[in-house]
Amino acid sequence: MRFILLIISFVLVGGHLQAQRMSKEEKKIYKEWKKKLKSTSLEDLKAMHEEKDQLNQELRTLEAELQELRDQLATKDNQISALESRNQQLKRQIEENAQRKNEEKGIFFKVQLSFTDEDASGNTVNRYYTLGIFRSYEDAVAFRDAVRKLGIKDAYVQGYKDGERRPVDELRGMQ
């Protein structure tokens, strides 16, 4: 008990020396706390100390939760960034598709390649690929001939009107 009183008096004397360097407002607050400290029992001081420890623990828990939320927010920000980038990419593709649709208006020709292949289960599968969009039949034939020189013998010219397949002979007469 004497030891505790000695500590309290030491704190008060040390605090008094500190009070000499304080502003008037700080001195006023110090005096109020000094009065409260004198009127506080040891049990109350112990309870306050335990409450302070409990509050510090709660603070550490809340700080950890805050950090976890910040990490989640950073992850969400990265996801949003990736989605915005993907959105821009899709918008460009839509614009390119619209432009391509406009290019496919009227009469045009493509060079079609066909391949026979086997799928994973051994079934025969015919695959078709088209190359280029040519407004004149002659340009399409020249490209077809170049492709055939590369060794793809199944290349041929296919005609289209407003995006629909049509017989080449019919379209040649419309040019």
Side-chain angles (χ1 to χ4, degrees):
M1 183 70 154
R2 284 185 189 180
F3 180 70
I4 293 174
L5 291 176
L6 181 64
I7 291 176
I8 291 174
S9 61
F10 180 70
V11 169
L12 292 176
V13 171
H16 180 69
L17 294 175
Q18 180 67 25
Q20 292 175 354
R21 291 181 281 216
M22 292 188 234
S23 68
K24 287 183 179 183
E25 185 63 30
E26 290 171 329
K27 285 180 183 178
K28 181 180 175 184
I29 293 171
Y30 173 75
K31 286 180 182 178
E32 289 173 11
W33 275 102
K34 188 176 172 183
K35 285 180 187 176
K36 285 181 185 179
L37 187 60
K38 282 182 181 179
S39 65
T40 305
S41 69
L42 289 177
E43 292 80 23
D44 290 342
L45 284 174
K46 182 179 178 185
M48 285 193 285
H49 182 70
E50 289 172 356
E51 183 181 2
K52 178 186 145 251
D53 289 345
Q54 180 184 0
L55 291 172
N56 281 335
Q57 180 60 37
E58 288 178 28
L59 177 63
R60 285 190 291 276
T61 302
L62 290 173
E63 286 173 341
E65 288 178 19
L66 177 62
Q67 185 58 46
E68 183 178 331
L69 290 172
R70 285 180 176 154
D71 293 344
Q72 289 176 2
L73 181 61
T75 300
K76 296 294 182 190
D77 285 343
N78 290 338
Q79 290 173 343
I80 289 170
S81 229
L83 289 172
E84 286 173 343
S85 176
R86 178 68 177 140
N87 189 29
Q88 291 299 322
Q89 182 183 21
L90 291 173
K91 283 181 181 179
R92 284 192 298 274
Q93 286 178 352
I94 289 170
E95 290 170 5
E96 290 171 5
N97 288 342
Q99 184 179 3
R100 194 174 304 122
K101 287 287 183 192
N102 287 336
E103 290 173 356
E104 293 181 358
K105 297 273 186 209
I107 297 171
F108 59 93
F109 302 91
K110 293 181 178 183
V111 174
Q112 185 164 321
L113 313 175
S114 62
F115 297 95
T116 303
D117 199 6
E118 285 187 12
D119 65 7
S121 61
N123 297 326
T124 301
V125 177
N126 293 322
R127 300 186 192 278
Y128 301 96
Y129 302 95
T130 58
L131 301 172
I133 296 177
F134 303 95
R135 292 291 172 188
S136 76
Y137 177 75
E138 292 76 20
D139 290 343
V141 168
F143 186 73
R144 177 203 65 195
D145 293 342
V147 169
R148 284 182 176 173
K149 284 181 185 178
L150 293 173
I152 301 173
K153 303 299 181 200
D154 291 339
Y156 62 95
V157 175
Q158 182 63 53
Y160 295 85
K161 181 176 181 186
D162 294 331
E164 293 182 22
R165 275 178 84 160
R166 296 283 179 90
V168 173
D169 293 336
E170 175 188 323
L171 298 176
R172 286 182 67 191
M174 293 181 169
Q175 279 188 313

